[in-house]
Amino acid sequence: MNNNNLALKAFLSGPVMPLSRVPDPVFSSGAMGDGIAIDPLNDCLYAPCAGVVMHVARTRHAVTLKADNGAELLLHLGLDTVELQGEGFDALVQEGTRITEGQPLLRFDLDKVARGSKSLITVLILTNGEGFQLRPLTTTCVDVGAPLLQLSRTGSAPATAEPAGSGGESRGHVRVALHGGLHARPAALLRKSAQAFSSRAELRFAGRSASVDSLVGIMGLGVGEQDEVEVICRGADSEAALHALLETLATAGAEPTPQPVTPLPVAAPRGAEEPGVLAGVCASPGLASGPLVRLGALHLPDDRGDSQPDEQHRALDQALERVRGDVRATLQQAARQGHADEEAIFTAHLALLEDPGLLDAADLLIDQRVSAAHAWHRAVQTHCGILQSLGNPLLAERANDLRDLEKRVLRVLLGNDGEQAIAAGSLVAAQEITPSDLGPLVRAGVAGLCMAEGGATSHVAILARAKGLPCLVALGPQVLELDEGRVLVLDASNGRLEYAPSAERIAQVAMQREQREQARQQQRARARQAAVTRDGRHIEVGANVANPEEAAEAFAAGADGVGLLRTEFLFLDRQQAPNEEEQQHAYQGVLDAMGESRVIIRTIDVGGDKHLAYLPLPAEENPALGLRGIRLGQALPQLLDQQLRALLRVAPIRRCRVLLPMVSEVDELIAIRQRLDQLAHELGIEERPELGVMIEVPSAALLADQLAEHADFLSIGTNDLSQYTLAMDRCHAGLAARIDALHPALLRLIAQTCAGAARHGRWVGVCGALASEALATPVLIGLGVQELSVSPGLVGEIKARVRELNAEDCRQRSQELLALGSARAVRDACARFWPHA
């Protein structure tokens, strides 16, 4: 049989049109390939030729076939029909099915699909155009089965990199520099890079390939660091897409390593274990003791295999969307609080929840009458098995993320959303503890975590370190055999779980913990006292808060004031902007909660990674470099004016300081000061609040002396200043751990800011995350910082740290740090210069 030339038959009845007339730029531009379209008059899609079904979309609106001559044909029913989530569609074939010409593929409800989508126009696309040619056989109305296209094999392949815009193909090879290879977060990064282009992209490695759209598919290739892969891009912008993906793959550091800390000890070999001790790997250091509690596992009910597919598809879709909503809420909270590690972790989780390979696997099982819960469980377990079989420890740990998502979705499907009651002070044991488990455990006040499996670079390990919760992993199955209620000692710093501790050992641990708690209590007891260095320099220690409730906590914790009130709390998670009265009431509540202390209130900073549903902003290629902070206030002056009027009305106004975010030049500050004066005059207000500038872009630091001439104070936001100085997105899924504000380049900008402010007698504060790090306290004092704004719970600790130091010694030694070459070198020097228990 000669397969070089095939006559493709009409797959629908209706008027025929060229792709150029299809009202969708992705199809009409030819970005996906050459083809043709039909506006259907019937309700069933038929096979244009014999072949094999390669793919059925999980929403059942599209089918991809592979013809016998190797051509790959996408049949996409309607435009924007993916939004219908399968409603109105019935797939009549499954992936891998051998089909004949004219065989029914999809049945659809003409009325429902027409009402729920942009158009019923259905396209046929040749997705692997190299070596093939399509020639229309008719341009009029056709009936199903009539000759439609001539598909010919040309016998030659195109060049590997056609010019962008030609709908061609571009190929390239690259050695993967991403730390740890292509596991979850690097795969999410690669997928995000590809989504900026219309071209379709795939990776090839070791004789296998995967679409860049599929995180699980990418991870399943088992690509390690320094492995060479081939990247293939097909579409109008294939060259640009190829360049971007090659650059992403060649850039080191996509997997965040833990923030620089003392190296964690590795477990001793199993054979070297002491009696009564399980050896593990330290994921988060610390010492704790308490009764053992096993974290309950979910149990699936029996599956009888008689489920109704439509009902189960809906159930899974609803459960997935609910979990996606929870993850998005976690992301928003992490963004508001500046927790970059949490953002990176849950960004990867969100991408996995949208992974087509994973979702299609579950949907295929549901089509076979498997229940939604069992289908989801089996799909996740299959993909976890793939990752664990590759022999890559990092990929095996990333399987834990999939199991976390499995558990979250199953809890919704099974109606088991309740949290297990766990007593405070317990040591929790589990096969693996997932990021979604951790929040309830922290709230319950558990003393430590013990895992049979897991790794020191797992996501839950990163989060446990951030929470200061001792955690051991890789303890082996023995930990799950220990009796509940038995009192154990978890010496995570030394990789030991002592399951038969003596009474003396338990008492010793209790004493050590009591000593640490006494130190914290002493810090809290003295937290209301001023923070003064040993040579008499006063450092104000304020708190970063987001609402009146947090302000009250900060005041009770001894904060000298509010160093940063993030006013976004008023604007986020609502359907309309707060009016002037609501804003004034909220700001007044913060002032009232702080007694006689001063409060710094930052004007709204949205845009970038924070979005308002009622304030649609234009899509930006680089949001962090776009319309955000004071730039948004300039673009929407009515929004800023309303906020400034509310701030002018608080009392007493002398206790209110206004802080402007994202200022990059002096004229911006002058314009806002003039506007503040004008609004105060209109309101009949004589007194003015102090007006300060956030130093969070390098230009502001370099212009600090000029800004200080017109500002009352400067406040350094080390989080944004780090990302803009180091050219690393702090919300990037793979670079969070490399954005270290103790980088000598940052320290030089801080020093220049303090020097510029001093020329005009202005004070400088730090409100970024660096202020909360005790290791950095002597550095900041030495560079000239006079105010530190920290998390409310750290006020006592940072004040105690200040009292240990000599400011002149800090000044002299800090100058030495400016000459170092890396953040790691700075941290090592700090540990030597200013040891801290």
Side-chain angles (χ1 to χ4, degrees), residues 324-337:
R324 288 186 194 112
D326 292 342
V327 174
R328 291 187 190 105
T330 303
L331 272 172
Q332 290 176 355
Q333 182 179 6
R336 287 195 295 270
Q337 297 175 348

Side-chain angles (χ1 to χ4, degrees), residues 97-404:
T97 303
R98 173 75 190 176
I99 57 168
T100 59
E101 178 185 296
Q103 182 173 335
L105 302 176
L106 294 176
R107 197 172 299 280
F108 55 100
D109 186 325
L110 268 170
D111 184 58
K112 180 178 288 187
V113 175
R115 285 187 285 107
S117 64
K118 180 179 176 181
S119 170
L120 283 171
I121 292 174
T122 298
V123 298
L124 179 151
I125 301 288
L126 176 63
T127 60
N128 62 336
E130 64 272 19
F132 292 98
Q133 184 179 52
L134 281 179
R135 181 171 62 86
L137 297 178
T138 181
T139 57
T140 61
C141 193
V142 293
D143 292 324
V144 168
L148 180 66
L149 291 165
Q150 183 71 32
L151 173 64
S152 304
R153 183 183 283 277
T154 63
S156 62
T160 58
E162 295 182 21
S166 69
E169 176 181 283
S170 299
R171 295 171 178 250
H173 290 80
V174 65
R175 196 169 294 281
V176 174
L178 299 166
H179 181 69
L182 293 181
H183 44 94
R185 279 179 279 182
L189 165 64
L190 192 66
R191 179 174 178 259
K192 181 179 179 182
S193 298
Q195 287 173 339
F197 303 93
S198 62
S199 293
R200 294 182 301 114
E202 68 176 90
L203 290 186
R204 290 187 180 175
F205 175 69
R208 293 175 295 148
S209 64
S211 167
V212 173
D213 286 337
S214 174
L215 265 67
V216 174
I218 295 172
M219 291 189 290
L221 293 177
V223 178
E225 189 173 352
Q226 296 305 311
D227 283 340
E228 186 175 283
V229 298
E230 183 181 16
V231 183
I232 304 170
C233 298
R234 298 186 180 97
D237 52 3
S238 61
E239 274 196 359
L242 178 67
H243 177 78
L245 295 180
L246 293 178
E247 184 177 3
T248 299
L249 289 165
T251 302
E255 167 62 13
T257 52
Q259 285 286 355
V261 292
T262 303
L264 302 175
V266 178
R270 291 285 176 197
E273 289 178 2
E274 304 171 37
V277 175
L278 292 181
V281 174
C282 179
S284 178
L287 179 68
S289 64
L292 178 70
V293 174
R294 279 199 295 271
L295 195 62
L298 289 171
H299 298 285
L300 291 176
D302 292 338
D303 183 23
R304 298 189 300 273
D306 58 355
S307 300
Q308 294 299 315
D310 288 346
E311 177 184 323
Q312 297 303 305
H313 280 302
R314 282 193 298 272
L316 180 57
D317 288 343
Q318 290 169 2
L320 287 167
E321 192 51 43
R322 176 167 169 183
V323 174
R324 288 186 194 112
D326 292 342
V327 174
R328 291 187 190 105
T330 303
L331 272 172
Q332 290 176 355
Q333 182 179 6
R336 287 195 295 270
Q337 297 175 348
H339 295 164
D341 278 341
E342 291 190 33
E343 285 186 82
I345 290 166
F346 290 106
T347 295
H349 280 204
L350 193 59
L352 285 169
L353 283 168
E354 297 168 349
D355 190 285
L358 183 61
L359 301 180
D360 283 350
D363 281 337
L364 184 61
L365 289 168
I366 290 175
D367 287 338
Q368 298 168 7
R369 296 190 174 275
V370 176
S371 71
H374 277 267
W376 178 247
H377 167 71
R378 286 165 58 179
V380 170
Q381 291 305 310
T382 297
H383 286 84
C384 285
I386 293 171
L387 297 180
Q388 290 176 316
S389 69
L390 296 170
N392 183 320
L394 280 173
L395 287 176
E397 288 173 9
R398 293 297 83 85
N400 194 33
D401 296 307
L402 278 175
R403 282 191 284 270
D404 188 6

Side-chain angles (χ1 to χ4, degrees), residues 56-95:
V56 179
R58 65 182 305 270
T59 47
R60 302 183 291 284
H61 71 290
V63 177
T64 302
L65 312 176
K66 187 168 187 175
D68 290 336
N69 66 353
E72 295 175 6
L73 305 172
L74 168 67
L75 292 156
H76 191 287
L77 211 157
L79 305 179
D80 290 346
T81 43
V82 68
E83 303 296 332
L84 294 174
Q85 291 296 306
E87 289 293 325
F89 295 94
D90 186 16
L92 306 177
V93 291
Q94 297 179 356
E95 291 180 5

Side-chain angles (χ1 to χ4, degrees), residues 547-570:
N547 51 52
E549 293 73 26
E550 289 188 9
E553 290 178 25
F555 183 72
D560 296 329
V562 168
L564 176 66
L565 171 66
R566 306 179 186 93
T567 58
E568 295 78 48
F569 80 94
L570 273 172

